[in-house]
Amino acid sequence: MTAPTLPRLSREGRLAAVPEGLPRPEHFRVVEQPLPVPGEGEVLVRNTYFQVFAALRILVAGGAEGAPFPGLGPGDTLFGPAVGEVVARPGTAGPPVGSLVSHFLGWREYAVVPAEQCVTLDDGALPDPAAHLSQGSLAYTALTRVAGLRPGETVFVSGGAGGIGSVAGRIAGLLGAGRVIGSTGSPAKAERMTDGLGYDAVVLRNPEHSFSDRLADAAPEGIDVFVDMVGVSSCAPPCGRRGPAPGSS
């Protein structure tokens, strides 16, 4: 495939100042810089879509102790999940020119990505390439590769109305789960979870009532798979877990 003609400059989004409170437009800026040049073992990707992931709010405020990503400071380029096309590959490592890939260097038009950090995507697998940035793949992986969900089993998803939880309930049902239960702190979210997100029952978090008792009522025969989206280290019976889940500590 003939390599596309490349520009001299590339734009990227940077943090201009650490916000106090909610971020505002003046805390960010778009800058132009010379087009980055990939070296051996790297590829140049023209980003077409990137995701504004929720944890970025913490990172632009300086990060948090124990977080899996470093905090950002003034002048740092933002980052996050992205989908794009490989437009240059100086060596033989990594996806060839023209490949659709995902990586974690969004917020820039062109990104130099280590070849081993590029995930080659099936260009025709989804109707829109941006769909590769959804949380569905993480929920599916948690339920299949990590937990090994089997037909007829009971699934409990903590934080079931969040980005991953909102698709985990529906995917669990499509995989044959016998009962899907979620938790949330909002009655409105609970109604949405049972009305359109595939949950059979929702346990509301309320400090005035025992969460374990209400969970036991929702799952009288116990739980087979627990997808933890709130990071608790343990769960009182009848919770069970076959393996680690996304969001667990």
Side-chain angles (χ1 to χ4, degrees):
M1 176 178 291
T2 303
T5 302
L6 301 177
R8 294 185 306 104
L9 301 174
S10 174
R11 293 179 298 175
E12 59 183 39
R14 295 181 181 176
L15 183 67
V18 176
E20 294 183 4
L22 291 176
R24 297 185 298 276
E26 59 264 31
H27 294 119
F28 305 93
R29 60 192 177 104
V30 176
V31 301
E32 288 187 332
Q33 65 167 17
L35 186 75
V37 179
E40 186 69 29
E42 298 176 326
V43 295
L44 181 65
V45 179
R46 181 177 67 86
N47 289 332
T48 49
Y49 304 94
F50 62 86
Q51 181 190 76
V52 183
F53 67 116
L56 192 61
R57 170 67 183 88
I58 299 174
L59 302 182
V60 300
E65 184 177 355
F69 305 114
L72 295 167
D76 288 341
T77 303
L78 308 179
F79 60 88
V83 167
E85 178 189 356
V86 176
V87 294
R89 185 183 69 169
T92 58
V97 171
S99 300
L100 183 71
V101 298
S102 65
H103 57 88
F104 214 72
L105 292 176
W107 290 87
R108 60 204 86 195
E109 285 184 303
Y110 290 85
V112 169
V113 185
E116 68 273 10
Q117 295 181 18
C118 277
V119 177
T120 303
L121 305 172
D122 184 344
D123 199 359
L126 297 171
D128 188 329
H132 288 285
L133 296 174
S134 76
Q135 304 286 11
S137 60
L138 184 54
Y140 179 82
T141 299
L143 289 165
T144 56
R145 298 185 183 180
V146 179
L149 173 63
R150 294 188 289 266
E153 292 186 323
T154 297
V155 176
F156 171 57
V157 182
S158 60
I164 299 173
S166 60
V167 292
R170 176 65 67 186
I171 291 174
L174 292 172
L175 291 171
R179 186 166 175 78
V180 184
I181 304 164
S183 67
T184 184
S186 163
K189 290 180 180 179
E191 182 177 356
R192 171 62 177 149
M193 289 166 67
T194 55
D195 187 43
L197 298 182
Y199 286 91
D200 298 300
V202 176
V203 179
L204 282 169
R205 298 188 299 272
N206 186 330
E208 298 180 359
H209 301 91
S210 168
F211 184 87
S212 295
D213 289 346
R214 283 176 288 136
L215 182 55
D217 290 339
E221 297 183 4
I223 291 170
D224 301 297
V225 173
F226 174 27
V227 181
D228 180 12
M229 300 311 310
V230 296
V232 297
S233 58
S234 63
C235 182
C239 289
R241 188 202 297 263
R242 291 209 184 92
S248 59
S249 57

